[in-house]
Amino acid sequence: MRIGRILAGAALGATLAIGTVAVPAQAATAPTTGTVSAVSPLAMEFYDDYWTQAECRSVGKQGVSAGMWRIYACEPSPWDWDLYVGY
């Protein structure tokens, strides 16, 4: 089931990446806190949202392990957790 979610997430990520190219201002809304890395927080893109922080971190770690992105950050929103990824 997790592999299916990762594959579905990859398709969604590709769609979001295309949307980010069309709307460059979207990248400026990326979080300024999270995982410390050489990748600028402005280079991070919204990937998806999750009900719990544990689920957000799990998907973030799976994406790193699968080589889909280099870093991730889970940021709280008023009702869920947003996953941002850096390539």
Side-chain angles (χ1 to χ4, degrees):
M1 174 143 169
R2 288 184 182 213
I3 293 174
R5 285 191 77 183
I6 290 174
L7 293 176
L12 177 62
T15 302
L16 290 173
I18 291 169
T20 302
V21 171
V23 184
Q26 209 171 21
T29 62
T32 57
T33 62
T35 307
V36 177
S37 173
V39 176
S40 166
L42 295 178
M44 294 181 73
E45 298 177 5
F46 174 79
Y47 182 74
D48 203 353
D49 58 343
Y50 300 92
W51 289 115
T52 66
Q53 182 182 24
E55 184 181 16
C56 182
R57 287 184 177 180
S58 175
V59 173
K61 288 177 186 178
Q62 289 174 12
V64 170
S65 295
M68 294 170 59
W69 48 77
R70 290 182 13 192
I71 64 166
Y72 70 93
C74 291
E75 297 292 326
S77 74
W79 51 86
D80 59 12
W81 289 83
D82 295 337
L83 174 62
Y84 291 88
V85 299
Y87 300 98

